[in-house]
Amino acid sequence: MNLTQNTGLSILLPIYNFDCRALIQDLHQQCKALGFPFEIICLDDASEASFRLLNQSVKSRNSSIKYQYLEQNVGRSRIRNLLAQKAQFEYLLFLDCDSKIVNADYIKQYITYLNPQKLLYGGRVYQASKPENKEWILHWKFGRQREESSATARNQKPYHSFMTNNFVVPKSIFQQIQFDESLKQYGHEDTLFGLELEARQISILHLDNPLEHIGLETTEIFLEKTNRAIENLAQLHLQGKPVETRLLGAFLKLRKYRLSKVFLSFYPIVKPWIKRNLYAACPNLLCLDFYKLNCLVKRMRMYE
């Protein structure tokens, strides 16, 4: 790594209704121990007052920690672009606020691999034990089986495996792409960002440097966000974006063999059983797949 005047790490943390004090403290301690130039910029996207009071206390600890509160919610893409504009250093580390550091050398690993031509992605993990509250089990099971993946596996399809919860990008590269602010709601910001990286032939190096996703959501909220993500997926497909997901692939097969109507007529028969299963203590992800496919088929037929 070639050191320049602006070589350093800007840690960018968008906050929304989550207590991030422990995460910020861990980040600060690791950075201070390394002696590497850094800053931690926290931007609160109009959280509830209780979370604002908790999180704003971090700004008084050290001048390297900055906290700002937005009066109006601007969304996942816009807030990340704003954070990047505020960054002073050459490398940007984006994290989700509902994360927990699980590696004592988390920051050190990223610094070791900094490269002005590459984006680094560390991965995501979930708690090993099954949640006691069954309302969180669907989200946890999906995360464990569909989102956790080793660096070796992710490097086989580097752009398809990219997520925005834990990555480092040179500021010069980010300024070329940024997050697409046309996606106003949750879902597939990472997909679109990955497509832009691939189109520009910007390399992604996947590392085994995960954060634990601790913001498990109830099945009801998880399914609501799933619906919003499907709306974004439909929007991207209709715009002609070369999106590749398992869900979209299943939809295209149904359409190719003219089975969409058959599927929609069949789904109401199994819908009560699928819904019971998704809210159960041992949900089956195949039921989730059918639920999502039904949402996408209905959404796409609205535009046909």
Side-chain angles (χ1 to χ4, degrees), residues 117-296:
Q117 306 301 322
K118 287 186 178 182
L119 183 147
L120 310 174
Y121 177 62
R124 170 185 288 180
V125 295
Y126 287 75
Q127 65 184 56
S129 58
K130 185 177 180 179
E132 294 183 5
N133 188 337
K134 77 171 187 176
E135 291 189 348
W136 295 340
I137 291 176
L138 179 63
H139 187 183
W140 171 80
K141 190 170 185 179
F142 177 82
R144 291 277 289 177
Q145 296 189 14
R146 299 286 176 83
E147 294 185 334
E148 282 192 21
S149 185
S150 68
T152 299
R154 285 184 270 116
N155 275 313
Q156 293 177 8
K157 292 185 176 181
Y159 301 101
H160 181 76
S161 302
F162 171 74
M163 292 189 287
T164 57
N165 67 297
N166 173 26
F167 74 100
V168 171
V169 58
K171 190 174 184 180
S172 58
I173 290 178
F174 184 83
Q175 289 172 333
Q176 298 174 34
I177 302 175
Q178 302 191 42
F179 285 98
D180 190 335
E181 297 180 15
S182 67
L183 295 180
K184 300 297 183 182
Q185 58 185 10
Y186 173 89
H188 290 286
E189 304 90 350
D190 45 7
T191 302
L192 197 53
F193 197 85
L195 288 174
E196 287 296 325
L197 292 171
E198 185 174 19
R200 297 168 186 266
Q201 297 183 322
I202 296 169
S203 298
I204 302 178
L205 176 62
H206 288 265
L207 306 172
D208 284 316
N209 194 29
L211 291 172
E212 181 181 328
H213 184 72
I214 59 175
L216 291 177
E217 292 168 330
T218 65
T219 296
E220 183 175 358
I221 294 175
F222 179 72
L223 293 178
E224 286 177 1
K225 287 193 171 183
T226 295
N227 288 332
R228 281 182 250 155
I230 289 171
E231 290 178 13
N232 280 351
L233 178 61
Q235 178 183 333
L236 293 176
H237 179 68
L238 291 168
Q239 291 173 352
K241 305 289 186 181
V243 181
E244 293 183 15
T245 69
R246 293 175 56 193
L247 176 60
L248 185 58
F251 164 76
L252 293 175
K253 284 183 179 179
L254 280 181
R255 191 172 68 176
K256 177 180 179 181
Y257 295 108
R258 300 184 178 182
L259 294 174
S260 297
K261 289 184 179 180
V262 175
F263 178 84
L264 288 178
S265 62
F266 167 76
Y267 187 81
I269 300 173
V270 298
K271 179 180 177 179
W273 178 78
I274 287 178
K275 187 172 182 179
R276 283 197 302 271
N277 182 273
L278 293 177
Y279 283 84
C282 296
N284 189 318
L285 293 187
L286 183 60
C287 290
L288 179 62
D289 293 337
F290 272 96
Y291 173 87
K292 292 167 65 175
L293 184 57
N294 177 66
C295 293
L296 181 59

Side-chain angles (χ1 to χ4, degrees), residues 18-215:
F18 206 86
D19 183 354
C20 303
R21 291 174 297 172
L23 173 61
I24 295 167
Q25 181 179 357
D26 289 345
L27 290 167
H28 185 263
Q29 288 178 347
Q30 287 198 16
C31 290
K32 289 288 287 183
L34 292 170
F36 191 78
F38 78 98
E39 62 179 348
I40 301 174
I41 306 177
C42 308
L43 193 54
D44 193 310
D45 201 7
S47 294
E48 296 172 4
S50 58
F51 289 104
R52 177 183 180 179
L53 289 172
L54 290 174
N55 292 315
Q56 68 182 358
S57 64
V58 301
K59 64 182 179 182
S60 62
R61 295 180 183 175
N62 194 286
S63 60
S64 58
I65 302 175
K66 305 174 180 68
Y67 174 92
Q68 184 179 350
Y69 177 83
L70 301 180
E71 295 292 342
Q72 292 186 333
N73 185 280
V74 297
R76 292 169 59 85
S77 294
R78 176 63 177 157
I79 197 168
R80 284 163 172 78
N81 290 340
L82 288 174
L83 280 162
Q85 292 173 16
K86 297 175 181 294
Q88 64 172 307
F89 291 121
E90 185 178 351
Y91 293 95
L92 313 178
L93 168 56
F94 284 93
L95 310 91
D96 282 351
C97 65
D98 53 355
S99 300
K100 176 182 177 181
I101 294 179
V102 293
N103 295 332
D105 61 348
Y106 172 73
I107 295 295
K108 183 179 180 180
Q109 272 215 58
Y110 271 138
I111 291 175
T112 300
Y113 288 95
L114 291 180
N115 186 311
Q117 306 301 322
K118 287 186 178 182
L119 183 147
L120 310 174
Y121 177 62
R124 170 185 288 180
V125 295
Y126 287 75
Q127 65 184 56
S129 58
K130 185 177 180 179
E132 294 183 5
N133 188 337
K134 77 171 187 176
E135 291 189 348
W136 295 340
I137 291 176
L138 179 63
H139 187 183
W140 171 80
K141 190 170 185 179
F142 177 82
R144 291 277 289 177
Q145 296 189 14
R146 299 286 176 83
E147 294 185 334
E148 282 192 21
S149 185
S150 68
T152 299
R154 285 184 270 116
N155 275 313
Q156 293 177 8
K157 292 185 176 181
Y159 301 101
H160 181 76
S161 302
F162 171 74
M163 292 189 287
T164 57
N165 67 297
N166 173 26
F167 74 100
V168 171
V169 58
K171 190 174 184 180
S172 58
I173 290 178
F174 184 83
Q175 289 172 333
Q176 298 174 34
I177 302 175
Q178 302 191 42
F179 285 98
D180 190 335
E181 297 180 15
S182 67
L183 295 180
K184 300 297 183 182
Q185 58 185 10
Y186 173 89
H188 290 286
E189 304 90 350
D190 45 7
T191 302
L192 197 53
F193 197 85
L195 288 174
E196 287 296 325
L197 292 171
E198 185 174 19
R200 297 168 186 266
Q201 297 183 322
I202 296 169
S203 298
I204 302 178
L205 176 62
H206 288 265
L207 306 172
D208 284 316
N209 194 29
L211 291 172
E212 181 181 328
H213 184 72
I214 59 175

